[in-house]
Amino acid sequence: MIFSKQFAFRKTLKLGALTVVLVMFLQINTVTASDKINIQRQSDNAPIETKQFGRLVGNWNIRDYSLSTDGSWQEQNGANWNFYWILGGSAIQDDWISPALDKPAPEKGRQYGTNIRIYNPKLKQWEMAWASNTGAKIDTFTAAAEKDNMVMQGVFNGKDTRITFHDISKNHFSWKMERVDAKTSRWRSIYRIEAERMPASK
């Protein structure tokens, strides 16, 4: 019994240490998007599918909306969302800052989050990890292209979640998070984003 408890404790320590290492890696690699854009592009050795998220590289202004309990959509605090190349142009990282830096920070502070996205050619899917200062953990997702959309699947906050990047153009994209509605057993949007590309800095 004592051995089992010690083993479980050591396992928890190892998992905790791994999380710390991953978060440190994310923090080290989290720099301004303009720095990355100026020095990196997609690697010639990266799978061609890397362009699917690569087309989002740049800085975006975000307007976001949450579904309220009465079924109406309520605008939230907005954000800056910056995408850039990492790992020598073989993967994409993005940084989420909410509210946007041109707005006052709330008393509880801003939310800072980051994703790492890399394409796995053997499984023919994207694999990604998300971490934020408010979540204090790492969530993983997979994604694949469906026509011009990028559709992510994973478990977020303990619930099956589907996220879709859609209506993607050079200077705009839309994004939605869906959960399965308990009454209808169908996917239902609970959070939406409208993104507008910021002009490149000179």
Side-chain angles (χ1 to χ4, degrees):
M1 186 66 176
I2 295 175
F3 175 78
S4 297
K5 289 182 178 179
Q6 289 178 340
F7 176 78
F9 179 69
R10 289 174 182 172
K11 185 176 181 181
T12 301
L13 283 178
K14 288 181 179 179
L15 289 173
L18 176 60
T19 300
V20 170
V21 170
L22 285 171
V23 170
M24 289 178 63
F25 172 81
L26 293 171
Q27 290 177 335
I28 291 170
N29 283 276
T30 301
V31 299
T32 62
S34 59
D35 290 339
K36 291 291 183 180
I37 293 170
N38 289 336
I39 62 173
Q40 290 193 348
R41 60 177 180 83
Q42 181 174 328
S43 169
D44 293 335
N45 296 321
I48 191 171
E49 289 85 357
T50 307
K51 293 181 179 179
Q52 293 168 345
F53 274 114
R55 56 187 163 161
L56 300 181
V57 165
N59 303 333
W60 301 83
N61 277 323
I62 300 300
R63 297 185 69 176
D64 57 339
Y65 307 84
S66 288
L67 185 67
S68 63
T69 54
D70 64 6
S72 63
W73 287 93
Q74 301 296 321
E75 187 163 6
Q76 302 302 301
N77 293 324
N80 297 130
W81 202 358
N82 308 312
F83 290 72
Y84 47 90
W85 298 107
I86 61 170
L87 305 181
S90 295
I92 306 292
Q93 185 168 353
D94 58 77
D95 298 331
W96 172 272
I97 306 170
S98 180
L101 292 173
D102 62 356
K103 296 181 180 179
E107 289 186 9
K108 62 181 180 180
R110 301 184 197 275
Q111 181 192 34
Y112 293 91
T114 193
N115 285 288
I116 290 181
R117 311 172 189 265
I118 191 165
Y119 187 77
N120 184 329
K122 292 183 179 179
L123 297 180
K124 297 183 179 180
Q125 66 182 19
W126 283 85
E127 298 181 4
M128 55 198 71
W130 158 260
S132 74
N133 62 324
T134 56
K137 62 186 178 70
I138 294 175
D139 297 291
T140 59
F141 295 85
T142 60
E146 294 186 7
K147 295 184 178 179
D148 289 333
N149 300 337
M150 297 303 299
V151 181
M152 299 168 51
Q153 300 272 1
V155 176
F156 184 64
N157 290 337
K159 296 182 179 180
D160 290 336
T161 302
R162 181 170 71 181
I163 295 171
T164 305
F165 290 79
H166 60 99
D167 297 323
I168 303 171
S169 64
K170 181 179 180 180
N171 294 312
H172 173 85
F173 69 83
S174 298
W175 182 105
K176 62 181 179 180
M177 175 185 286
E178 299 172 282
R179 296 263 171 78
V180 175
D181 187 279
K183 295 181 179 179
T184 65
S185 298
R186 296 181 179 179
W187 289 105
R188 184 187 189 193
S189 295
I190 61 168
Y191 182 55
R192 295 176 178 172
I193 286 171
E194 297 296 331
E196 297 293 335
R197 189 184 292 275
M198 296 173 62
S201 57
K202 296 182 180 180

